[in-house]
Amino acid sequence: MTSLSPTSVAIIGAVMYNRYSERRRVEILRGILTDSLLALQARNEYIQVILNCYKDLVRFCRQHGFMKKVYETTREFEWALRRAFYMVPADQLDEFLAIFEEARYSDHDIGLAQRDKAMTTLTAIT
């Protein structure tokens, strides 16, 4: 019977902790998206729901080291989301970011068509 050296135990512990931390971050992201999806289904204030999701994701990105400053540009936010959502296919993430941009910068109403597109995208990502 061989025993593990203290270095081996430390390495195994570090790997297990990193895996746990990664799973926890993914679950938090999934929770943010699921909450937003449910809010889109339940409310008529689509722009506000999407912007709240944006704010929650900014908070997540700052807390987990993906963003440094309180107010970053949209492209810096996009870069942070791409790092946080590294497991999401690029085309789905592009659709996701387009939803935020439309809600944040467009001057037209966000209606059922945009809501349905947002729900489809959030469902695919989660």
Side-chain angles (χ1 to χ4, degrees), residues 53-104:
C53 181
Y54 177 88
K55 290 176 189 176
D56 291 343
L57 288 171
V58 167
R59 188 176 314 115
F60 170 87
C61 287
R62 286 187 52 235
Q63 289 173 344
H64 291 89
F66 295 108
M67 293 174 74
K68 304 292 184 245
K69 299 176 272 184
V70 175
Y71 298 104
E72 295 200 25
T73 67
T74 303
R75 292 300 157 220
E76 289 169 318
F77 174 67
E78 177 183 346
W79 183 78
L81 276 187
R82 288 190 188 282
R83 285 183 41 215
F85 283 95
Y86 68 90
M87 70 296 283
V88 174
D91 58 332
Q92 289 179 357
L93 197 53
D94 290 342
E95 285 290 322
F96 186 63
L97 292 165
I99 290 166
F100 286 124
E101 288 177 339
E102 184 175 16
R104 190 169 185 191

